[in-house]
Amino acid sequence: MTPKLNNPVTHGAMALTALACIAVSSPNAGAQDIARPVEEQAPPSTPAPANSEEIAFTADRLEYDDASEVVTASGNVELLRDGNRLRANEIIWNRATGQVHASGNISVTNPEGDIAYGDSIELTDSLKDGAVDNLLLVLERGGRLAARSGVRKNEVITLSHAAYTPCAVEDHNGCPKEPTWQIRAVRVIYDPNRRRIIYKGARVELFGLPLIPLPGLSHPTGDGGGSGLLVPGVGFDRVNGLEFSLPYYLQIASNRSLTITPHFYSDSSPMVQANYQSLLARGAYQITGYVTYGSRVPTSSGLTQTTQRDIRGYFETSGKFQIDPYWSISGSARVASDRTYLRRYDISRDDRLRSTLGAERIDDNSYFSIAGWAVQTLRMDVDQGTVPIALPVIDYRRRFTDPLLGGKLQLQMNSLGISRADGQDTQRAFAGAQWDLRKITAWGQEVTFTGYLRGDIYHSDENLLTDTIIYRGTSGWQTRGIAAAAMDVRWPFIGEAFGGTQKITPRVQIVAAPKLSNLNVPNEDARAVELEDSNLFALNRFPGYDRFEDSTRITYGLEYALDRPGLTIDAVVGQSYRLNSRSTLFPDGTGLSERVSDIVGRTTIRYKDFVSLTHRFRLDKDNLAVRRNEIDATIGSRSTYVMAGYLRLNRNIGPGLEDLQDREEIRLGARVQITRFWSVFGSTVVDLTSKKDDPTSLSDGYEPVRHRLGIAYQDDCVELGVTWRRDYSEAGDARRGNSFLLRLAFRNLGI
């Protein structure tokens, strides 16, 4: 039967359980109750009511006592109203007293899909007040709430002996298990007028053990978030001792927040960290700052170094704003009070801090950018006055869609101003054009013709302050014209091989460029030059604009690719020969200083998701000595893997070019999944450079840089880990030593 009654039985029962649901972001009751299994809910069998004022229900039996005015519905009772559904074995409504009682296999489902289970529900006073026993709430978005009992009085809901967990209560085999963590509380109070949930006697339990007491725990309801304490952090290192941090999150508005984190140390002064974030209609930005008043050791050399106390800190900000579909503005700034602050407090290991501000305009065929750059060095052997400031940096590029002589034309204009407090100043501007024509011959060769023209103008002063002579240029105004023409021929041969597709591609490139007065202009952006696979067939093998390769040369090589199920191999090897015999700009040891270059190549192998290997090399053309040997390898799955990296640069370049010094280094890292949730991990970096490789190096041929070892637990709702790290480098008050970090992160928990 499906009568339509103006009866608030279901509505009132659901009101109680729905308000109890709001406590979802926190507590739960006994672990046995919160993990108890529940049956999957079948779709409603009762037709929906016509409107929100009507109640539709079905039951096996309906009784009405005229004398006592008691209505009893029993046997598979189901009531629907306004999107809510109540199921129970029996519902009794006393029309005279207004008391409603539901019992037996009670489940209440709200419109959001949350399901509340209970043993019995009592409602009185026209359903304004009531109580529920042995409540279990299963949330649609994940998580459970359980309470021994719940009471609603004057719209305030109080749950007794309650608990909450977002963790799974079944293992991967579908068997019941205790949640990894839960919050227990003696009482949970929800006040709809204050829109806040308050906990009494709350604590976090991890793996069934009491872990963190949470006195005064409360948070707002709804999806907007709210202010409150976050999960604390614990660590230890040799310099600062034991560290304890306790973040406080302040919700200023729906689009703005501030997190303040005090850091307390046993062997250092306290430090305060603050992070402000804002999301606006056209962009977003964030500001982060650290400040402390503590001791530091000056980094200047001397027989004695005295400790001094002063204000120390670090500031960073970044943001981007989209003004319209084409224009955007972005910027970032990073500034530290001194060169060791970031390392001492383990904020960052960077040796330079970059700040920039710029505007960009991008459309389908053009690009325009104007920007400025500044860098703060944190290296002990570099004078800040010699570090350049780039302002302005202007770049404009235009691509023409209409073909010119069958090819594509692109124009570029660029301007750069570099200034130093104690060094050379340089200003540069150029305008250039590049034309490319790509053709496929009847035999399958891919032929690309390139033409390049550019005109430069430079102005520089204080050139003698640049130590490296070939970087200085001539002071005053200088001009330069650049022209180059190239033809690049690729002839791929493709066929089936080794169970897959194989491609072998011989490649030949011819580039012609007249002699240029390169040394008359300063070199600011083309210093770290070396022949490698990435620039083997480049029109200009210098990395920047200040130097251009003026020679007629032929470059030849072979590209190879194999693609088969689960396996890909990609490789390239090549060499170049300069047709003219005039002197070159390239320093000895770069692989390009003689008419015949060194041999360079790269091989990349990938096998499914298990093996990834990249090897880059450069061989001396005369004796095949290895001048560059670089390996990056990863073997294993996502959960268990080994990573290895090795770099050996054997250029034999003199100490005058700091950008091209020799180096040898090895990097190792591994992670092993020992159980379903537990894993161990570690990594190490070792500097193998000796004074034979680099006379300025302080390494003795085996100098550990940093070691790390840890153990971690991670499941669906918690991350727990302990990491030991040892640093071997030191400067000032950033000393070498051991540090320990405890990481504990709960899903869906903001304290």
Side-chain angles (χ1 to χ4, degrees):
M1 56 187 300
T2 311
K4 297 181 179 180
L5 304 176
N6 188 13
N7 186 328
V9 175
T10 308
H11 190 67
M14 290 191 178
L16 174 61
T17 53
L19 286 174
C21 292
I22 303 179
V24 68
S25 298
S26 273
N28 24 356
Q32 183 177 2
D33 292 334
I34 205 167
R36 71 177 186 258
V38 295
E39 296 182 359
E40 184 177 350
Q41 295 290 299
S45 58
T46 305
N51 56 63
S52 60
E53 298 300 324
E54 295 181 351
I55 294 178
F57 77 90
T58 58
D60 293 341
R61 185 169 58 255
L62 181 65
E63 299 177 359
Y64 178 65
D65 188 335
D66 290 333
S68 60
E69 296 189 71
V70 173
V71 179
T72 302
S74 60
N76 297 316
V77 184
E78 182 178 70
L79 294 88
L80 298 178
R81 181 174 183 179
D82 198 19
N84 298 295
R85 178 174 62 165
L86 168 65
R87 286 182 172 180
N89 289 343
E90 184 181 67
I91 294 178
I92 301 174
W93 176 33
N94 190 321
R95 299 184 63 184
T97 63
Q99 186 178 45
V100 177
H101 175 81
S103 61
N105 295 322
I106 299 172
S107 68
V108 183
T109 306
N110 65 15
E112 289 74 30
D114 302 328
I115 305 175
Y117 300 88
D119 290 344
S120 64
I121 294 177
E122 293 280 352
L123 299 173
T124 60
D125 290 335
S126 301
L127 310 179
K128 292 182 179 180
D129 298 330
V132 59
D133 292 330
N134 196 17
L135 170 68
L136 173 65
L137 179 64
V138 179
L139 304 175
E140 172 66 18
R141 66 176 183 267
R144 287 188 169 203
L145 172 82
R148 182 177 299 173
S149 62
V151 177
R152 177 186 179 186
K153 186 174 183 180
N154 297 327
E155 298 185 353
V156 176
I157 293 179
T158 302
L159 303 179
S160 298
H161 300 284
Y164 163 74
T165 183
C167 304
V169 295
E170 293 183 352
D171 61 18
H172 62 286
N173 294 319
C175 301
K177 75 177 187 71
E178 298 299 322
T180 306
W181 71 267
Q182 58 183 310
I183 297 180
R184 287 175 175 260
V186 176
R187 281 194 302 160
V188 179
I189 303 170
Y190 169 63
D191 188 341
N193 296 320
R194 296 176 57 189
R195 299 180 61 84
R196 197 163 191 85
I197 298 177
I198 303 171
Y199 302 89
K200 303 294 184 181
R203 69 180 186 275
V204 173
E205 291 188 357
L206 182 64
F207 302 113
L209 301 175
L211 182 64
I212 304 175
L214 304 173
L217 172 64
S218 68
H219 63 77
T221 62
D223 297 329
S227 304
L229 296 173
L230 303 178
V231 178
V234 179
F236 175 83
D237 64 59
R238 176 191 171 191
V239 178
N240 301 310
L242 182 65
E243 175 188 1
F244 176 78
S245 60
L246 186 61
Y248 180 82
Y249 178 81
L250 177 63
Q251 185 74 37
I252 301 173
S254 60
N255 65 328
R256 291 179 292 152
S257 66
L258 175 66
T259 303
I260 301 176
T261 307
H263 297 260
F264 302 96
Y265 304 94
S266 61
D267 298 339
S268 297
S269 301
M271 180 177 67
V272 177
Q273 172 189 355
N275 175 258
Y276 176 81
Q277 296 179 322
S278 179
L279 176 64
L280 305 176
R282 296 184 179 273
Y285 67 96
Q286 67 86 26
I287 302 173
T288 300
Y290 298 77
V291 65
T292 185
Y293 182 80
S295 61
R296 69 180 179 93
V297 177
T299 57
S300 58
S301 60
L303 297 178
T304 61
Q305 291 184 333
T306 58
T307 300
Q308 62 188 50
R309 294 181 62 86
D310 53 18
I311 296 176
R312 308 180 68 187
Y314 168 68
F315 169 86
E316 72 172 16
T317 182
S318 62
K320 184 173 183 178
F321 300 91
Q322 194 71 37
I323 307 304
D324 60 29
Y326 303 107
W327 280 97
S328 65
I329 298 176
S330 61
S332 64
R334 302 180 68 194
V335 180
S337 60
D338 54 81
R339 302 194 182 195
T340 61
Y341 179 78
L342 295 181
R343 290 181 54 196
R344 168 168 179 169
Y345 292 97
D346 201 20
I347 299 171
S348 172
R349 295 280 155 178
D350 294 339
D351 62 0
R352 59 179 63 86
L353 304 178
R354 186 179 66 180
S355 300
T356 180
L357 179 64
E360 286 183 318
R361 186 187 188 279
I362 304 174
D363 61 28
D364 293 339
N365 295 298
S366 69
Y367 171 80
F368 174 77
S369 170
I370 180 170
W373 302 78
V375 176
Q376 178 186 5
T377 182
L378 302 183
R379 297 175 61 180
M380 306 305 162
D381 57 346
V382 177
D383 182 2
Q384 181 64 46
T386 64
V387 178
I389 297 175
L391 181 70
V393 182
I394 303 174
D395 191 59
Y396 175 75
R397 306 183 188 202
R398 176 74 179 181
R399 179 178 61 191
F400 293 89
T401 57
D402 296 331
L404 177 64
L405 301 178
K408 297 180 180 179
L409 178 65
Q410 177 177 294
L411 300 181
Q412 180 182 10
M413 291 183 287
N414 182 279
S415 176
L416 170 67
I418 288 181
S419 60
R420 297 176 174 88
D422 301 314
Q424 178 176 329
D425 298 334
T426 302
Q427 296 82 43
R428 177 195 74 201
F430 72 77
Q434 181 169 326
W435 174 84
D436 294 289
L437 173 63
R438 178 176 176 268
K439 292 289 187 180
I440 304 296
T441 70
W443 284 8
Q445 295 106 333
E446 178 186 352
V447 183
T448 302
F449 299 94
T450 300
Y452 186 75
L453 293 173
R454 200 177 89 196
D456 302 346
I457 182 170
Y458 281 80
H459 180 271
S460 59
D461 53 28
E462 304 288 353
N463 300 59
L464 295 179
L465 296 179
T466 297
D467 294 332
T468 305
I469 297 176
I470 63 173
Y471 295 161
R472 292 176 180 173
T474 304
S475 61
W477 293 97
Q478 302 293 329
T479 60
R480 180 179 60 177
I482 298 174
M487 182 178 68
D488 193 324
V489 181
R490 301 173 73 251
W491 195 354
F493 295 89
I494 304 174
E496 295 182 0
F498 310 109
T501 302
Q502 177 180 252
K503 182 168 68 173
I504 302 175
T505 308
R507 184 174 180 180
V508 178
Q509 180 196 57
I510 300 175
V511 179
K515 181 176 176 59
L516 302 174
S517 301
N518 275 297
L519 294 178
N520 289 347
V521 300
N523 182 3
E524 299 281 5
D525 64 3
R527 298 180 177 182
V529 58
E530 181 181 9
L531 180 63
E532 53 189 22
D533 65 285
S534 61
N535 64 8
L536 176 62
F537 290 96
L539 188 66
N540 178 30
R541 290 184 285 202
F542 282 98
Y545 295 112
D546 289 335
R547 291 290 182 264
F548 194 90
E549 189 174 357
D550 55 349
S551 64
T552 300
R553 65 184 186 271
I554 180 172
T555 304
Y556 40 89
L558 184 70
E559 299 172 352
Y560 178 82
L562 174 65
D563 189 355
R564 55 163 298 171
L567 175 66
T568 60
I569 300 176
D570 184 26
V572 60
V573 63
Q575 188 181 37
S576 68
Y577 174 76
R578 196 167 59 251
L579 301 181
N580 55 285
S581 59
R582 61 176 178 260
S583 59
T584 178
L585 289 171
F586 297 104
D588 290 336
T590 60
L592 290 164
S593 57
E594 300 184 24
R595 296 186 67 179
V596 179
S597 77
D598 286 350
I599 303 169
V600 295
R602 171 192 47 80
T603 301
T604 300
I605 301 174
R606 295 183 182 275
Y607 177 69
K608 296 183 176 179
D609 290 331
F610 189 75
V611 174
S612 175
L613 172 66
T614 300
H615 178 225
R616 291 181 172 88
F617 64 89
R618 176 162 67 89
L619 304 178
D620 192 295
K621 66 176 180 59
D622 296 322
N623 54 18
L624 299 183
V626 180
R627 298 303 178 192
R628 180 188 186 100
N629 190 17
E630 184 176 2
I631 300 173
D632 288 291
T634 301
I635 302 175
S637 62
R638 292 186 178 182
S639 57
T640 298
Y641 55 84
V642 175
M643 297 186 300
Y646 174 77
L647 173 64
R648 164 71 164 155
L649 299 176
N650 183 25
R651 305 184 181 104
N652 289 332
I653 298 178
L657 300 177
E658 61 176 351
D659 306 280
L660 299 171
Q661 292 304 303
D662 289 340
R663 182 170 182 80
E664 188 173 9
E665 178 182 272
I666 188 170
R667 306 177 303 278
L668 298 173
R671 185 182 190 92
V672 179
Q673 195 78 28
I674 53 179
T675 68
R676 179 177 173 83
F677 300 118
W678 287 96
S679 63
V680 294
F681 58 90
S683 64
T684 183
V685 179
V686 181
D687 186 0
L688 303 177
T689 309
S690 65
K691 291 187 179 298
K692 180 181 178 181
D693 298 320
D694 181 3
T696 64
S697 174
L698 300 178
S699 177
D700 60 0
Y702 183 87
E703 183 71 27
V705 178
R706 186 164 51 252
H707 300 330
R708 187 177 68 137
L709 184 65
I711 184 169
Y713 175 93
Q714 181 177 359
D715 62 16
D716 60 311
C717 64
V718 69
E719 294 183 22
L720 172 65
V722 179
T723 303
W724 163 77
R725 191 182 69 203
R726 179 170 180 82
D727 292 297
Y728 291 86
S729 59
E730 63 179 43
D733 57 357
R735 301 194 301 271
R736 66 174 62 192
N738 299 319
S739 62
F740 298 87
L741 175 65
L742 172 64
R743 171 175 169 78
L744 180 60
F746 297 103
R747 172 190 164 198
N748 291 351
L749 174 61
I751 301 175

